[in-house]
């Protein structure tokens, strides 16, 4: 009789393996779709009935996944979804893609991973491959997931196979999507790695094996900490440039012409999204458990978290040039998603900026073509806000417009023509205008270059 590892490898190669994905969000749905496109029967498991219903109705709710793909895979019988973990009985492989947020104390919240693994453990059977994809601290796979699964009596690397593979999806990126972003894979044993490599290799162009689950976990945290620290550095440079009457945007653009040894990062109103503001704290939490004090992460977190306050001050400075106070002013926030051209508002700095301006007495409205409502629970205003149109005739009623997210759908020419004052935190408005105040740059009236440009 073939060893279990050969049986599963052959099932993966022949696409007879049934693939499961737990958590059908920004990461899980694209992965389930790629596995189904590769020819597997893919089943998503999610506690959210609306997502499950949507997949089964052939509708996508993730912008990077076309509804046509979901429909076609449904029609071929290759994709389905359920809220019931009992389906694990029929599955050969499972990728876990559930959220890993922080608690208020900035400690990891492992409850989603724990509940997903509990669901799987009930139906775990010999010969399965379980891969954790959720971003988490080094040691999670062998300290948390492995013991929970082994409590069933089955042994990792012997009766079932276990691996960690970090997700690197970049929502809204038209060039790099699940299938063409290299996938790092670390198995609990060499057989675990081999099977995970086989599974991903069927749907993803390049697989990068590493020696352990811990290395794979650390890779993701290095990548995201690298971003958080470099954004912190450039944000600090922006604060310095503001004091020194230098345009940080011009500095970065010139520096990036160096063909080696430099990588451009841009300042902004603060960090957003489910990854960069959160993941480095998974690493610092774990490092502190070993008595190590990770200083870069804390410092970058401190600078990045201060940016919304700087933006609120910039708005006050801009209004001051009109002899107006923030108190009583009508302020339009342009863009509330955490980055351009997407609908994701998780951890968006727009919420902080809105809260800070509201606390100073401003009347807050927002425009965002991707986000129709900001719910009361999502910001400190205590009531739902509905998006307004940032169109001709509608802009001049505001005392100040604050560009937080540089969506391409915004008409910046009309904005410049109609707004009385603009604070631009993204350098979305390239020309210099006396009524446009940019983050990390001298106001046109104070800068020599600016004066020339507006003369
Ligand atoms: N979104 C990104 O850009 C991105 C990029 C790289 C890595 N990640 C990581 O991937 C993981 C998932 O992120 P996401 O953005 O897809 O999250 P998400 O919130 O979009 O989706 C997670 C899904 O898991 C479901 N879920 C929660 N608990 C569950 C359970 N016990 N059983 C079944 N389903 C459950 C939720 O209903 C939700 O649909 C996180 O660890 C995140 O850090 C995200």
């Amino acid at each position: 009789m073939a060893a279990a590892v050969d049986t599963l490898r052959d099932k993966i190669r022949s696409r007879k393996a049934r693939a499961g994905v737990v958590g059908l969000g920004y990461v899980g749905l694209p992965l389930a779709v790629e596995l189904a496109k590769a020819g597997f029967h893919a089943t998503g498991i999610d506690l959210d009935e609306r997502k499950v219903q949507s997949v089964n109705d052939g509708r996508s709710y993730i912008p990077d996944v076309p509804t046509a793909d979901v429909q076609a895979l449904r029609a071929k019988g290759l994709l389905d979804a359920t809220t019931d973990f009992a389906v694990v009985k029929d599955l050969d492989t499972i990728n876990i893609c559930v959220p890993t947020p922080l608690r208020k104390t900035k400690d990891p919240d492992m409850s989603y991973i724990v509940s997903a693994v509990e669901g799987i453990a009930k139906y775990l059977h010999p010969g399965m491959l379980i891969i954790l994809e959720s971003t988490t601290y080094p040691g999670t796979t062998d300290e948390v997931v492995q013991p929970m699964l082994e409590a069933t009596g089955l042994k990792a690397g012997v009766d079932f196979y276990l691996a960690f593979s970090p997700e690197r999806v970049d929502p809204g990126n038209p060039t790099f999507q699940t299938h063409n972003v290299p996938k790092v894979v670390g198995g609990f044993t060499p057989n675990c790695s081999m099977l995970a490599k086989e599974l991903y290799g069927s749907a993803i162009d390049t697989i990068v094996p590493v020696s352990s689950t811990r290395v794979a976990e650390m890779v993701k945290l290095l990548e995201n900490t690298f971003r958080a620290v470099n954004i912190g550095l450039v944000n600090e440079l922006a604060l310095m440039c503001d004091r020194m009457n230098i345009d940080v945007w011009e500095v970065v653009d010139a520096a990036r012409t160096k063909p080696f040894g430099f990588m451009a990062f841009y300042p902004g109103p603060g960090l957003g999204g489910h990854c960069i503001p959160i993941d480095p704290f998974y690493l610092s939490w774990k490092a502190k458990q070993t008595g190590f004090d990770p200083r870069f992460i804390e410092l970058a977190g401190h600078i990045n978290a201060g940016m919304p306050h700087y933006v609120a001050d910039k708005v006050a400075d801009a209004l001051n040039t009109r002899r107006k106070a923030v108190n009583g002013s009508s302020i339009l926030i342009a863009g509330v998603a955490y980055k351009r051209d997407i609908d994701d508002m998780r951890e968006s700095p727009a919420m902080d900026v809105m809260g800070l301006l509201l606390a100073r007495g401003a009347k807050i409205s927002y425009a965002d073509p991707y986000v129709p409502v900001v719910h009361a629970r999502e910001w400190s205003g205590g009531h739902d806000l509905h998006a307004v149109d940032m169109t001709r005739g509608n802009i001049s009623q505001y005392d100040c417009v604050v560009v937080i997210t540089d969506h391409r759908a915004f008409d910046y020419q009309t904005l410049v023509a109609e707004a009385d004052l603009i604070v631009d935190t993204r350098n979305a408005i390239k020309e210099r205008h006396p009524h446009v105040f940019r983050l990390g740059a001298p106001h046109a009236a104070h800068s020599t270059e600016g004066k020339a440009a507006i003369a």
Side-chain angles (χ1 to χ4, degrees), residues 84-198:
D84 188 355
F85 274 84
V87 75
V88 171
K89 282 187 286 202
D90 304 323
L91 301 178
D92 298 295
T93 68
I94 294 187
N95 299 73
I96 304 172
C97 308
V98 296
T100 42
L102 286 175
R103 298 191 187 282
K104 280 211 164 66
T105 51
K106 289 214 183 323
D107 288 351
D109 177 354
M110 302 305 285
S111 61
Y112 298 89
I113 291 186
V114 167
S115 115
V117 176
E118 276 169 359
I120 294 166
K122 271 193 212 153
Y123 303 100
L124 184 74
H125 51 86
M128 283 190 88
L129 168 65
I130 311 292
I131 307 174
L132 180 63
E133 293 214 10
S134 302
T135 307
T136 183
Y137 58 81
T140 306
T141 309
D142 57 6
E143 288 170 6
V144 178
V145 179
Q146 185 191 342
M148 286 180 71
L149 294 178
E150 288 193 337
T152 60
L154 300 176
K155 277 253 153 281
V158 179
D159 303 312
F160 68 94
Y161 305 97
L162 184 62
F164 182 85
S165 177
E167 182 46 58
R168 289 165 150 173
V169 70
D170 181 19
N173 188 323
T175 314
F176 292 110
Q177 300 197 328
T178 304
H179 70 96
N180 61 354
V181 176
K183 195 96 174 89
V184 172
V185 173
F188 178 63
T189 64
N191 275 342
C192 298
S193 292
M194 181 274 289
L195 289 170
K197 213 176 140 207
E198 284 285 340

Side-chain angles (χ1 to χ4, degrees), residues 277-345:
I278 293 175
D279 302 348
F281 291 100
Y282 268 70
L283 179 53
S284 64
W285 177 83
K286 187 65 181 179
K288 282 177 191 162
Q289 312 268 302
T290 68
F292 187 92
D293 182 20
R295 285 164 293 174
F296 269 116
I297 295 175
E298 304 289 334
L299 179 59
H302 184 70
I303 294 168
N304 293 330
M307 293 309 284
H309 295 265
Y310 165 76
V311 174
D313 287 347
K314 197 90 181 159
V315 172
D317 289 348
L319 286 167
N320 195 43
T321 63
R322 295 284 189 273
R323 297 192 172 86
K324 288 180 183 172
V326 176
N327 195 347
S329 288
S330 291
I331 294 178
L332 178 67
I333 303 293
V336 292
Y338 82 84
K339 69 173 186 177
R340 79 150 67 133
D341 300 345
I342 64 164
D343 66 351
D344 192 346
M345 286 175 48

Side-chain angles (χ1 to χ4, degrees), residues 349-362:
M351 299 303 107
D352 294 328
V353 172
M354 282 163 37
L356 289 168
L357 292 171
L358 182 83
R360 294 189 191 186

Side-chain angles (χ1 to χ4, degrees), residues 136-272:
T136 183
Y137 58 81
T140 306
T141 309
D142 57 6
E143 288 170 6
V144 178
V145 179
Q146 185 191 342
M148 286 180 71
L149 294 178
E150 288 193 337
T152 60
L154 300 176
K155 277 253 153 281
V158 179
D159 303 312
F160 68 94
Y161 305 97
L162 184 62
F164 182 85
S165 177
E167 182 46 58
R168 289 165 150 173
V169 70
D170 181 19
N173 188 323
T175 314
F176 292 110
Q177 300 197 328
T178 304
H179 70 96
N180 61 354
V181 176
K183 195 96 174 89
V184 172
V185 173
F188 178 63
T189 64
N191 275 342
C192 298
S193 292
M194 181 274 289
L195 289 170
K197 213 176 140 207
E198 284 285 340
L199 180 68
Y200 287 122
S202 61
I204 294 171
D205 300 350
T206 310
I207 311 300
V208 184
V210 294
S211 63
S212 67
T213 53
R214 285 174 181 241
V215 169
E217 288 159 338
M218 192 62 134
V219 167
K220 175 73 184 176
L221 296 179
L222 167 62
E223 290 167 6
N224 283 358
T225 301
F226 172 82
R227 287 188 62 78
V229 168
N230 278 289
I231 294 169
L233 173 65
V234 81
N235 275 336
E236 189 175 61
L237 196 81
L239 301 179
M240 282 187 251
C241 282
D242 195 337
R243 297 273 180 99
M244 298 160 86
N245 271 341
I246 298 169
D247 183 336
V248 72
W249 306 93
E250 194 181 349
V251 172
V252 176
D253 279 341
R256 73 180 299 187
T257 60
K258 184 179 179 189
F260 47 86
F262 184 81
M263 181 180 280
F265 284 84
Y266 292 95
L271 293 183

